[in-house]
Amino acid sequence: MKIILTQEVSGLGAPGDIVEVKNGYGRNYLLPQGFAIVWTKGAEKQVTVIKRARGAREIRDLDHANEVKAQLEGLKVNLKVRAGDGGRLFGSVTPAEIVDAVKAASGPVLDRRRLEVPGHIKSIGAYPVKIKLHPEVTASFNLNVVQG
C-alpha cells in the first residue's frame, strides 16, 4: 500500500514522505490515527504543502540546531501547576505544557513529539528534559514544576 505521511512516524519517515507499507499496517493503524493519507495523484500534489509546513517548524541545519541548543541550555523554565497537599499534582505534566512553558520563558518554539521526559511528572520539583533537535544534536534543560 502506498501512502503519504502527514506526521512523523519513527522508523518510517517524516511528514510529506511517500512510503510503501503493508496493507494491514496502513489500513489498521496509520490511516485511522491520522498519521497518513492514501496515495493518489491528487494527494501527491499536497506533498509540497506538507513539506513546506514541515520546513517552517524544522531545524534548518546543524549550525541552527547548535544555536537552539545553546539558547535552551541557558534557559530557566518554570511551569506552574495545580497541586494538592505534599506537592502531588492533579494529573500529570504533558509535553504540550512543557513546550508552552519554554515559549513563555522566551525560548524557541519546539516540537512536542521530540521531547524526552523522564517518566510521568506527577509531583512538584526539578526534572531534566531532553529534546532531539537534529539527528546529531540533543539539548537538555531543567524544568521546574512549581505550585501556582
Side-chain angles (χ1 to χ4, degrees), residues 72 75 77 96-110 141:
L72 273 174
L75 209 60
V77 182
E97 291 174 328
I98 295 171
V99 168
D100 291 340
V102 169
K103 194 174 6 173
S106 7
V109 177
L110 303 173
F141 60 92

Side-chain angles (χ1 to χ4, degrees), residues 46-136:
Q46 292 179 328
V47 169
T48 57
V49 174
I50 293 170
K51 285 189 177 184
R52 194 175 325 129
R54 178 178 83 183
R57 69 173 182 268
E58 194 174 79
I59 302 295
R60 290 185 293 280
D61 56 9
L62 188 60
D63 293 333
H64 186 237
N66 285 324
E67 287 175 21
V68 172
K69 178 181 178 180
Q71 185 180 5
L72 273 174
E73 290 179 345
L75 209 60
K76 282 192 152 284
V77 182
N78 291 321
L79 178 62
K80 292 185 179 181
V81 293
R82 288 185 41 204
D85 296 334
R88 189 127 170 92
L89 303 185
F90 298 124
S92 64
V93 176
T94 64
E97 291 174 328
I98 295 171
V99 168
D100 291 340
V102 169
K103 194 174 6 173
S106 7
V109 177
L110 303 173
D111 187 3
R112 66 178 168 75
R113 294 179 295 259
R114 295 180 184 249
L115 282 177
E116 297 173 12
V117 181
H120 297 286
I121 299 175
K122 294 189 173 196
S123 61
I124 291 175
Y127 296 91
V129 178
K130 292 183 181 178
I131 182 161
K132 190 167 181 116
L133 298 170
H134 190 268
E136 302 171 16

